[in-house]
Amino acid sequence: MTRATKLIPVIEMASRETDKAMQILVQANNVLEQERHQLEDLRRYREEYLQQFRQGDALQMSARKAIDLRSFLAQLDNAIRMQQSHVERCFVQTQKQQQLWLQAKNKQRSIESLKERYQNEAEQKQQKQEQRFADEHTAMLWARKHK
């Protein structure tokens, strides 16, 4: 068994690790996009709510209704801040997972490169050996001819 052949199971294992890291990265990206959409939905809802409020007659609004509106907007703003924080954490997690995938991919490429190098070295060694045998054979034929 050659050195290059011995690396095949290692390459397969590295490939599986790379694939797994890619799947986790895709999942992290999907979660990030969902969380971003939820944040945008909250922001859009807040704007729509404010638009409805602005269309009404602010002078006819009761003090209680104004307090309720302010309280509701504060809750919405708090939810938006929390969602923004969650989006940022998801983004960081996605970036970390991307780095893990890149590391796994680079490891796989390195092992594949090492296998290629071993194959090239083995081919060169075999070519040199074949050349040496051919030279020896030619030298023997020449020696027989000139005896």
Side-chain angles (χ1 to χ4, degrees), residues 25-84:
L25 175 59
V26 167
Q27 289 172 350
N29 272 325
N30 289 340
V31 168
L32 176 61
E33 284 306 309
Q34 289 172 354
E35 297 301 327
R36 283 180 174 164
H37 287 299
Q38 189 171 353
L39 177 61
E40 288 305 312
D41 288 345
L42 284 169
R43 288 177 176 162
R44 189 172 28 260
Y45 179 68
R46 185 183 190 286
E47 281 302 311
E48 289 171 3
Y49 193 80
L50 279 175
Q51 285 295 332
Q52 288 177 357
F53 166 74
R54 289 179 186 141
Q55 288 175 356
D57 189 1
L59 295 176
Q60 292 182 358
M61 182 183 294
S62 68
R64 180 72 189 148
K65 195 171 183 181
I67 291 171
D68 289 344
L69 172 67
R70 183 170 284 167
S71 174
F72 181 71
L73 288 176
Q75 289 175 358
L76 257 179
D77 289 340
N78 188 40
I80 289 171
R81 279 191 302 277
M82 288 174 55
Q83 186 63 23
Q84 178 65 41

Side-chain angles (χ1 to χ4, degrees), residues 108-142:
Q108 179 184 352
R109 285 181 183 157
S110 296
I111 297 168
E112 288 171 349
S113 176
L114 181 62
K115 179 185 172 225
E116 287 177 24
R117 192 178 94 209
Y118 285 168
Q119 286 174 330
N120 289 339
E121 288 174 0
E123 288 172 8
Q124 289 175 356
K125 184 177 179 181
Q126 184 177 356
Q127 288 174 354
K128 286 180 182 179
Q129 189 176 17
E130 288 173 2
Q131 184 64 45
R132 189 172 62 244
F133 288 150
D135 291 347
E136 288 173 3
H137 182 69
T138 303
M140 283 182 9
L141 288 177
W142 187 80

